[in-house]
Amino acid sequence: MTVAVPTSLSDALAAIAQNPAAQIIQGGTDLMVEINFNRRKPTDVIALRRVLELREWSIAKDGSTITIGAGLPYAQMEDDEIARLVPALAQAARTVGSPQIRAAGSIGGNLGTCSPAGDALPVLSALDAIVHLRSSTGARNISVHEFMVGVKRNARAPDEIIVSVTLPIVTGWQGYAKVGVRNAMVISIASCCLAVDRTNSAIRIALGAVGPTIIRCRATEAWLTSQLDLSSVNTVSTNLLKEFGDRVAQEAKPIDDHRSTAVYRRHAVSTLAKRLLTRANTP
Amino acid sequence: MKNTVSTNTVSINTVSTSTVSTDTITGTRREVRRDILGAPALRPDGADKVQGKFAFSSDIWAEHMLWGATLRSPHPYARIVSIDLSAAFDIDGVEAIITAVDVPGKKTYGLISSDQPVFASDFVRYVGEPVACVAADHPETCRRALAAINVIYEVLTPLTDPERALLPETPKIHPDGNMLRYQKIICGDQTIQGEIIVENTYELGMQDQAFLGLEAAMAFPDSGGAGVDLVIATQWIHEDQKQIAACLDLPVDKVRVTLGGVGGAFGAREDISLQVHCCLLALKTSRPIKMQYSREESFYGHVHRHPAKIWIRHHATNEGIIQRIESKMVFDGGAYASTSAAVLINGITHIQGPYKCESATVHGFAVRTNNPPCGAMRGFGVVQACFAHESQMDKLAVACGLSPVEIRLRNAMRTGDKLITGQVIESVAPVERCIRETDAIPMPVPLARDANPLELVGGSGLTSLPQNIVRGVGWGVSIKNLMYSEKFDDYATARCQLHDGIVNLKFATAEVGQGFVVLAPQIARSVLGVDEVILDPVDTRIGSAGSTSASRQTWMSGGAVDGACRLVREQLFEHVGKIHNIDPLRLVIEDTDIVDMIGDFRISVIDASTGAHFDQTFEHHHRPTEELDENGQGNCHVAFAFVAHRAVVDVDVELGLVKVIQIATAQDVGRVLNPIAAIGQVEGGIAQGLGLAVMEEIVLDNGKIRNPSFTDYLLPTTLDMPDVIAVLIEEPEPQAPLGAKGIGEPPCISVTPAIAAAIRNATGRDLPRVPIRPQDICL
Amino acid sequence: MTPNTEVYQLNVNGKKCEVRDAWIGESLLYVLRERLGLPGAKGACEQGECGSCTVIMDDQAVCSCLVMAATAIDTEISTVEGLSVDGKLTDVQDAFVNEGAVQCGFCTPGLVVAVHNLLDTSPTPTDIEIKEAISGNICRCTGYGRIFEAVRSAAATRQETNK
């Protein structure tokens, strides 16, 4: 039984190269629950909490993208600058768990666990984030869509560490909204991220907690692009809004579980999408 | 370095309190006060609790201790074919494994009927039923040992539908049968048909007490196994003692129970959980045993609030005057009896609510199923009845064209009115005043268009904007019995010693957070004129105090402390009278002095008691009650308290999400003995009633709990809790020793229907079930 | 550096504490309570949903049940036991007692730690900021009313003292 607490990314990569079976722990908010609930018994652990490179964030020189370290705690994503450049991410970060959880949890953890209810994931999906993976032998940059394989399954190889994600800085309204049965500290039973890209006259919609993994509503996006001039704020007609909601609902693949029902989730995610579209077009 | 909070002795959390020159902030004024009855006295355990020094039962540690853990049934109903312990015994660090064959005494326990096995031996009847226990050197060793125990089950078809349990053809799942209790109430004219008739079927889900301090205990065996000390978080140490001793086959005095620090209770600690297991392991290993449930295990390890289905029909005049109630109430008791029989009686005898009604036909059933056992929770059967009768009152109001307030005022009961059981309300019954004072509380300001998102439904989820939100208002009023009913003599004992101006109080009253530790010294100070009061450890070295439940300890243990202090005061006056040659009848306590009412003699209590020692024990009994007869008639309850709630809610109608904005309440408390403690009970009860209204439910699937965690069993957070504006109505209760009624339960009872009514008001939906889920509102 | 779990060191309340022969899966909460004699932090949910186990780690309030103890080396950990420097109650502790914010007291140590963290970073919180800051701390007894009063009172006292 070993616990490695490397202080640099290269040490962390060396540790995992040596023992690809080791369990990686970032903030602990998922893994420790599994251990406490007697569902997982790790033998070797590599803790990334002291790898400061993973807690950095930066803006590309040309200002076109922002790169966020996989270990940056959610609490720090409420930072004014991040909130200005990627408001949907800051909004999603604010809804994660409690202040204590936001001090520990991070995008790396959300991606590593890959739960469809992970609050940051719809934002990464809507913004077509690139996930940066590193191993001792190389680096891979893959689209978040390829990274999220299924329910709690992802494309990380055993010897890889999720290092960061890169998001485009887009001109246009973006937002995140979530439904839970409590007014704070609640797991989402439906969530939605909507981002307008004025420059490219595009719109992106991603849904959380209504399918095995995050759902990107590409059909609805394409349809809406044909209906609205996305280069400016529009008046969205009631009929258009309704059809938009119906199309989003069709793309959702929710299930019944102890948290909610499939019917409600479909309704809720469609309602959230309509509200976000309305907000996006409120001058 | 090891945990030093406790030692091998079992005296923990002894409390010394003194109020000499205590400063308190009252508004902006600082004043010196004495913490007598009526003062905002502070908790004597508060300083320890805020510093993390207070020893909860889970904080106890002992040299050479072992950890205990429980193997539980994964099936709702199954026959045990075999249990193989050999692989578990082979694990390093495992010291003992016990099953039903290791229970030396009675194989079953139970509060009312002894029908629950210490360990299942032939059948398991609910998911989570204990099958075996292990003792080992580390919690992780325990978990591995439990995993290594091989139990072969023959899985049977469970009975999980309470309606099916009522059918005679349904196979019995327990030798005692599937009917835990049936009782009817037949009173008045059974033929009345009202000009107005409203009816509906209401349902309540299973609520969990969800105390924060998980079940925990430490057992210390006597050398040679002749006896055992148990330090435990419980509600009634003497009942535990009695049940444990029977199962261990030990004389009662060889099982010494001490109250460990209790992290909340709310009814869930009345039944035996780990008590017998922990003692058995200690006796088996001759070592101290620490047991502590996880949150998941806690959901399986204690009883819950009964889910109920209530059909009810009201007959009334066109003016809205209730003439007759018909009702059928079915409570799901789960696999074992616990207190189901008493919960049922509370349910049916409170179905009329705080309203006059002369005729009734009520059939109540508490049934056995393979669901988790249900028993006591704050409100005890009345929560279920109240949701039904208050929902009906609003239907009646609509049918008669009256406001929710007016329909309730027209029917409000008063002292002297007769209940449907034939019992006359002798208690102070300010129902009308509760309603009027609640109604007089200002409504909250309307939702601002630019409100902070955190104040809106959905909070930081940015779910709703002000234009998505509709505000609603609803009412609930309730009646609640106090103390135990149906001939039960739940007396309380207290001992008071006075020497050198210092009082020692001894009682077995479980402090579970409610604040008896602050009240008892207040009583002693008021009666005896002392300042310093020492509370001895709560253990079985004195007579029973009864359970900390049924809103009873202020009345019962308060009465016992008051009685013991009064006896000591008589002795003190005699002592002073003899020395100073004054008729003791002329002496009274004034502040901290003994004074002669007629002459000018005066002596401080400290001086008068220096060198002397007075020692008195007193038992307080409430007046006797009766059992119900075949037709549900009889003076079965001791006394009653009343409360009104008005709820204001914001509802996102399209998404079915709710945020409660304000609860206004006026509660009949008799007398306020401690305003800080009283408001704490009111606000805390409201939070639990709010939980039942909109979020708290144990979700079952074929008898298995789907959400045994705080991620999925949702409790109200700070952002769910509304402003509470409370009026405490003081009309001293003549029957009550201190003039005060119990105040613990009423706050959580009618707030649930008030919130439900407010949501109906906002949405126009019928909403006959709580908790109200989003899909109930918007789909 | 690769410490195995035979022995590791934690910095708790300014002291170095050695942990020996621990199981790898032990949470910081377990180690504080069962190995280091610091039972002030309480366990009530084991999954970060109640806040009873809140401690400060490197100036952040975190749930100690979600920290793998063996990975917490080289961090500064403060628990409720370490708040008071001279044995007297802190302003926050004093306010909790005086305002009636304590009933059963099981949530109290976690709340007291969380409120200290709040007031250290945001000395004049608004009501809604107070509510959000302690929204991860569940209390089952009080309905939070007296807790809000205690936080307001502690903030006011601190303002007064710092004038």
Side-chain angles (χ1 to χ4, degrees), chain B residues 287-304:
Chain B
R287 287 169 70 173
I289 299 289
K290 177 169 181 165
M291 285 188 89
Q292 185 181 332
Y293 286 176
S294 68
R295 179 55 61 185
E296 183 175 25
E297 187 173 21
S298 179
F299 273 99
Y300 289 110
H302 64 243
V303 299
H304 311 288

Side-chain angles (χ1 to χ4, degrees), chain A residues 37-38 41 91 94-95 177-184 187 258-259 261 263-264 267-268 271 275 279, chain B residues 140 143-144 454 458 460-463 465 468 652 654-655 657-658 706 711-712 715 717 719-720 774-775 778:
Chain A
F37 276 64
N38 203 21
K41 305 207 178 287
Q91 289 167 11
R94 182 79 175 273
T95 73
K178 140 175 173 181
V179 168
V181 186
R182 191 159 65 177
N183 292 293
I187 290 195
H258 56 282
R259 288 182 189 144
T261 66
V263 177
Y264 176 76
H267 166 78
T271 304
R275 288 184 181 179
R279 289 175 204 175
Chain B
E140 177 61 15
R143 290 189 284 266
R144 287 170 195 222
L454 283 176
S460 66
L462 300 176
T463 322
L465 294 177
N468 305 122
D652 182 326
E654 194 180 11
L655 282 173
L657 301 174
V658 177
R706 297 285 308 277
T711 296
D712 288 317
L715 300 165
T717 69
L719 285 164
D720 299 288
Q775 58 266 33
C778 68

Side-chain angles (χ1 to χ4, degrees), chain C residues 7 52 54 56 70 74 103 141 147:
Chain C
V7 57
S52 305
T54 303
I56 305 292
D74 294 331
Q103 287 188 30
C141 295
I147 293 171

Side-chain angles (χ1 to χ4, degrees), chain B residues 184-379:
Chain B
K184 65 185 171 189
I185 296 176
I186 305 292
C187 105
D189 183 348
Q190 299 293 298
T191 63
I192 291 177
Q193 294 293 311
E195 292 163 332
I196 305 281
I197 297 176
V198 292
E199 71 174 274
N200 207 356
T201 299
Y202 300 95
E203 271 187 81
L204 297 97
M206 185 183 283
Q207 189 180 20
D208 188 55
Q209 299 85 350
F211 47 57
L212 281 197
L214 293 158
E215 287 89 347
M218 175 96 86
F220 301 89
D222 290 357
S223 60
V228 65
D229 278 289
L230 182 70
V231 184
I232 170 110
T234 181
Q235 289 176 237
W236 188 358
I237 58 174
H238 283 82
E239 177 65 24
D240 282 2
Q241 180 189 37
K242 190 179 85 186
Q243 294 193 51
I244 297 164
C247 296
L248 299 184
D249 197 24
L250 285 174
V252 167
D253 63 353
K254 293 295 178 194
V255 177
R256 297 164 300 267
V257 182
T258 300
L259 187 73
V262 185
F266 317 116
R269 297 189 206 269
E270 237 179 15
D271 293 78
I272 294 288
S273 56
L274 44 62
Q275 286 88 332
V276 181
H277 301 154
C278 196
C279 292
L280 279 171
L281 287 173
L283 292 169
K284 182 98 175 180
T285 59
S286 300
R287 287 169 70 173
I289 299 289
K290 177 169 181 165
M291 285 188 89
Q292 185 181 332
Y293 286 176
S294 68
R295 179 55 61 185
E296 183 175 25
E297 187 173 21
S298 179
F299 273 99
Y300 289 110
H302 64 243
V303 299
H304 311 288
R305 189 190 299 291
H306 290 75
K309 195 167 182 182
I310 301 170
W311 169 83
I312 180 168
R313 176 188 286 156
H314 276 70
H315 298 262
T317 64
N318 282 328
E319 290 71 43
I321 303 301
I322 299 168
Q323 297 168 296
R324 180 179 168 218
I325 295 171
E326 298 172 85
S327 183
K328 178 186 173 189
M329 309 176 75
V330 180
F331 286 72
D332 182 357
Y336 294 105
S338 179
T339 50
S340 286
V343 169
L344 177 76
I345 290 320
N346 260 22
I348 61 170
T349 59
H350 287 77
I351 192 63
Q352 74 189 99
Y355 309 111
K356 282 177 276 205
C357 175
E358 289 181 357
S359 301
T361 318
V362 182
H363 297 277
F365 305 85
V367 297
R368 191 192 302 274
T369 63
N370 293 115
N371 291 323
C374 290
M377 183 174 173
R378 196 177 195 173

Side-chain angles (χ1 to χ4, degrees), chain A residues 168-180:
Chain A
I169 294 170
V170 198
T171 307
W173 190 94
Q174 58 180 245
Y176 175 82
K178 140 175 173 181
V179 168

Side-chain angles (χ1 to χ4, degrees), chain B residues 622-643:
Chain B
H622 59 66
R623 67 171 190 185
T625 55
E626 301 168 353
E627 284 172 351
L628 292 178
D629 69 13
E630 193 202 347
N631 287 323
Q633 300 299 296
N635 295 317
C636 70
H637 297 307
V638 179
F640 300 92
F642 304 88
V643 66

